[in-house]
Amino acid sequence: MVAAMADLVRGLGQVPIVLKRFIPGYVANRIQQAISAEVFRLLGEGVAAPRDIDDAIIHGLSLRIPILGHLAKADFTGLELTQRALANGSYAPPPPRTRSETLDALCAEGRIGVMAGKGYFDWGGRPPEELFRERDRKLLALKAAMAGIGRMEGT
């Protein structure tokens, strides 16, 4: 059953992720939640502005992840260095939070995102449908480019 479903997903042009045991949520969504927790902490503590945080992700993290993923990146960094960085303990994950002051303030102002024309950013009065079409066009172009570039594969 699992193999048949994985084949179906592959047939749709996607990459199936088969878990070794059940956990609530998808792997990518759980990783994204951890990233979101740190992003909201940085924003809430006034460490960086929304554009700077997004730029750090777009021009740093997201350039490496499609080519290597996280664990292959560790191989390139060197596992001993990765091990020392982990043991260093200089990073402490934020405690679980159920809210963000900056997010709450934006929502209270009616700045609820693209559908309202403003969120963390001002979307210039462009219709949401236009913004979603542009986002989707760019994501499809990136997916096509990534298919041509490929990823670093170990065995």
Side-chain angles (χ1 to χ4, degrees):
M1 178 70 160
V2 172
M5 187 57 79
D7 287 342
L8 174 67
V9 170
R10 267 189 222 87
L12 296 171
Q14 301 296 318
V15 177
I17 306 300
V18 178
L19 304 180
K20 295 182 182 289
R21 65 180 179 85
F22 174 79
I23 56 169
Y26 299 106
V27 171
N29 291 7
R30 292 171 64 98
I31 293 168
Q32 188 169 323
Q33 280 297 106
I35 291 170
S36 288
E38 183 62 21
V39 164
F40 288 125
R41 179 170 81 162
L42 293 169
L43 195 58
E45 292 177 359
V47 172
R51 176 73 61 207
D52 295 324
I53 291 170
D54 277 358
D55 282 349
I57 292 169
I58 291 167
H59 299 289
L61 183 63
S62 64
L63 288 176
R64 295 184 293 266
I65 286 178
I67 305 299
L68 296 169
H70 187 77
L71 299 174
K73 182 194 158 301
D75 277 349
F76 276 82
T77 298
L79 295 185
E80 291 173 322
L81 180 58
T82 301
Q83 186 181 44
R84 285 192 298 274
L86 187 59
N88 180 347
S90 64
Y91 173 74
R97 300 179 67 186
T98 58
R99 55 184 293 270
S100 159
E101 291 81 6
T102 55
L103 182 59
D104 292 346
L106 289 170
C107 287
E109 293 173 22
R111 294 181 65 139
I112 59 170
V114 167
M115 294 302 287
K118 293 181 182 178
Y120 285 100
F121 304 100
D122 184 328
W123 295 99
R126 294 170 59 197
E129 299 79 18
E130 178 185 321
L131 292 165
F132 283 113
R133 273 194 307 275
E134 181 180 344
R135 179 207 57 189
D136 293 348
R137 181 184 56 76
K138 289 181 178 191
L139 286 172
L140 289 171
L142 179 60
K143 187 170 178 94
M146 288 306 305
I149 293 168
R151 61 181 276 176
M152 300 288 297
E153 293 284 350
T155 56

